[in-house]
Amino acid sequence: MAAVSELRPRHRDAEIRWPRRQGDGIHIGVNAVTIRPGTLDDWPAATRLFEFAFGHRSSDEVLAAWSGEIGDSMVVATDTGSVVGQTMDLPMTTTVPGGAQLTGRGISLVAVAPTHRRRGLLRAMFTEQHKRIAASGVPLALLTASEASIYGRFGYGAATIESRVRIDRRLAKMHAGVPDPGGVRVVSVAEATELVPAIYERWQALTPGAQVRPKAMLDRYLANADKPGSTPPYAIVHRDGYALFARRTKDNEGIARVFEFRAVTADAHAALWRILLSLDLVTYVEAVQSPEDPLQYMLTDSRLVEVDEREDALWVRIMDVPAALEARTYSADLDVVVEVRDGFLDAGGTFALTVADGKARCVRTEAPAQVSLDLAVLGSLYLGAHRARVLAAAHRLWAKDSETLRVFDLAFQTDRAAEMGWGF
Ligand SMILES: CC(C)(COP(=O)(O)OP(=O)(O)OC[C@H]1O[C@@H](n2cnc3c(N)ncnc32)[C@H](O)[C@@H]1OP(=O)(O)O)[C@@H](O)C(=O)NCCC(=O)NCCS
């Protein structure tokens, strides 16, 4: 392997001729580092690097589930034959506001060896990968971010909001009017594996941001739920919802950690929470919720839903602005010219966006912009989780006047909170 000192310090200083093809590989001028398509032969080294980067070990089942997904999507960086960086992408279908199902690619396995960081390898791999994704014509690229400061420069915006909450179950009481619909059964994990996919599918079709989930990924999820110190997963199922959880003890307190809760109806939501909040020998129930989860309003003491952490979960990069904006629905009619800046590839431009009779039309135009924003900001607005007026107050979005901003803000609102379906 080339000594680190032999590597050029920064790609901008290194006069890289941006990816040019040589044979089946793509070579850049950072000494011996080669960016090329990955193959299954690279998989063991890639997973080792990923585990090293994140400081955890994945089970054989998880690795097998992932290796089945890589196809020809992996891009690796090698230095004298050793893998020193990688990224891959999975096919992903996602619900957008209004219920349309949009195809995209979900970026995953991103890591660069600590010996090769901050020399432009991620940027070089991402450039190659995203050019391929753009050429495939899918309107969206998705990812989850280890750090919030990395992906905005590549046009990704945080597009969902998740809160990790903790409820002291012993004190929780429901308001008198909250129904007690019943209909919940305790089932084995094997039975849950049979029942969950159909309920998830109905929930996914309703929920902006939620992705179709391949069966192997549910199995992976259940295998991975078994964290050190926790019990194996338990499942409770209603005909319109389910909760998957594990239990552990910390400081003599019993904790039930709900790692997946999906309810298609308000009755299923109430029925499942009534059971979770009546688990004997459990002090705290932990769960992940969207900001619009009704639980806090169902309890006589809303403060019992304590937020431990707020996370961004799903990030969106719009690869094709007209296709993505025409696919979703809006809460108000619009007739606006939007300038979108893409500092990474060439998805940006100036677009006339009109919404009338429930149908959106988005075409390139030469007309002067009335709203201007980075592609990453449009990604944050796209699923409805973030508000245009708040981003304008943060100086991340410009509108020509307050009426333009008011209508733009209103139009992008949705009637169901965006949520990520599964982590990838
Ligand atoms: C994050 C990681 C992949 C970056 O790889 P890298 O090869 O060092 O990144 P690059 O040198 O290509 O940097 C690309 C750009 O991102 C920026 N960047 C990279 N890592 C960053 C970080 N952790 N925080 C903020 N900015 C970051 C660089 O400054 C650079 O900006 P510029 O090109 O606009 O000047 C690498 O540090 C890593 O493997 N980290 C641990 C695992 C991880 O977090 N993976 C991401 C999973 S979502």
Side-chain angles (χ1 to χ4, degrees):
M1 184 187 288
V4 176
S5 57
E6 289 170 39
L7 295 169
R8 303 284 185 96
R10 297 281 307 162
H11 63 277
R12 288 207 175 112
D13 305 334
E15 294 170 17
I16 290 172
R17 280 166 294 172
W18 273 130
R20 71 192 152 83
R21 295 190 174 275
Q22 289 183 356
D24 64 349
I26 294 147
H27 299 256
I28 59 171
V30 187
N31 281 359
V33 177
T34 299
I35 308 293
R36 64 163 172 80
T39 70
L40 260 185
D41 291 342
D42 297 309
W43 183 245
T47 54
R48 250 194 328 274
L49 178 56
F50 188 70
E51 289 179 351
F52 186 86
F54 282 90
H56 71 77
R57 199 72 205 96
S58 303
S59 67
D60 292 345
E61 292 91 326
V62 170
L63 294 181
W66 279 105
S67 69
E69 297 292 329
I70 68 166
D72 56 2
S73 79
M74 196 154 65
V75 177
V76 295
T78 61
D79 185 342
T80 50
S82 298
V83 173
V84 292
Q86 81 248 340
T87 175
M88 67 180 265
D89 45 272
L90 315 164
M92 214 157 267
T93 300
T94 311
T95 304
V96 300
Q101 301 292 307
L102 246 61
T103 53
R105 301 295 297 185
I107 314 295
S108 195
L109 205 75
V110 175
V112 169
T115 48
H116 289 69
R117 283 203 184 136
R118 308 300 180 266
R119 288 165 176 77
L121 296 196
L122 173 66
R123 182 173 277 277
M125 292 189 298
F126 252 39
T127 302
E128 172 59 17
Q129 180 182 36
H130 284 77
K131 281 187 175 165
R132 172 172 46 73
I133 293 173
S136 78
V138 296
L140 299 180
L142 309 170
L143 54 74
T144 63
S146 59
E147 293 178 77
S149 48
I150 302 174
Y151 294 109
R153 60 176 50 73
F154 299 116
Y156 285 85
T160 59
I161 300 170
E162 278 185 358
S163 297
R164 291 189 177 274
V165 302
R166 188 172 88 136
I167 301 132
D168 187 332
R169 180 205 72 76
R170 298 162 304 178
L171 306 175
K173 289 193 181 41
M174 299 270 186
H175 276 292
V178 174
D180 186 0
V184 176
R185 290 188 304 128
V186 174
V187 300
S188 67
V189 169
E191 200 179 343
T193 309
E194 293 302 311
L195 297 173
V196 157
I199 302 171
Y200 178 92
E201 208 174 294
R202 288 163 59 208
W203 172 85
Q204 183 272 329
L206 290 175
T207 309
Q211 319 102 285
V212 170
R213 178 163 62 185
K215 166 115 179 37
M217 289 299 159
L218 171 64
D219 298 345
R220 172 191 84 95
Y221 204 52
L222 286 168
N224 208 27
D226 203 355
K227 298 248 190 271
S230 283
T231 61
Y234 298 113
I236 53 173
V237 175
H238 178 278
R239 68 173 182 281
D240 298 322
Y242 61 87
L244 305 173
F245 63 100
R247 286 174 61 170
R248 71 191 155 96
T249 304
K250 190 178 169 208
D251 302 330
N252 285 329
E253 309 278 23
I255 296 169
R257 180 179 60 89
V258 181
F259 56 86
E260 184 160 302
F261 182 102
R262 303 292 176 225
V264 180
T265 61
D267 266 7
H269 180 277
L272 290 162
W273 270 111
R274 281 197 179 272
I275 301 303
L276 290 170
L277 295 176
S278 51
L279 291 172
D280 284 336
L281 310 181
V282 164
T283 308
Y284 296 109
V285 180
E286 297 174 343
V288 176
Q289 297 188 328
S290 88
E292 292 183 22
D293 192 290
L295 180 65
Q296 62 168 317
Y297 305 105
M298 292 157 70
L299 299 181
T300 53
D301 181 351
S302 59
R303 289 186 196 166
L304 286 178
V305 184
E306 283 177 54
V307 176
D308 276 346
E309 258 180 84
R310 199 177 119 113
E311 293 179 358
D312 37 57
L314 192 67
W315 290 61
V316 168
R317 180 191 145 90
I318 296 179
M319 301 296 300
D320 179 337
V321 171
L325 292 187
E326 287 185 356
R328 60 158 285 178
T329 55
Y330 296 82
S331 295
D333 283 356
L334 263 183
D335 186 2
V336 67
V337 175
V338 187
E339 180 197 36
V340 181
R341 294 179 298 268
D342 180 8
F344 178 41
L345 298 176
D346 55 3
T350 306
F351 303 91
L353 174 62
T354 49
V355 180
D357 304 324
K359 192 143 181 46
R361 189 160 155 65
C362 182
V363 289
R364 286 188 184 272
T365 180
E366 304 278 301
Q370 296 162 310
V371 169
S372 172
L373 73 184
D374 285 343
L375 186 63
V377 174
L378 190 62
S380 287
L381 296 179
Y382 186 60
L383 299 174
H386 297 277
R387 300 285 301 260
R389 65 178 169 77
V390 179
L391 284 153
H395 305 278
R396 304 286 313 282
L397 178 154
W398 169 87
K400 93 173 169 41
D401 54 39
S402 57
E403 181 55 15
T404 304
L405 179 59
R406 191 189 67 76
V407 177
F408 193 75
D409 176 63
L410 181 65
F412 274 79
Q413 280 183 55
T414 57
D415 52 13
R416 190 171 170 109
E419 288 183 68
M420 180 168 76
W422 55 280
F424 54 97

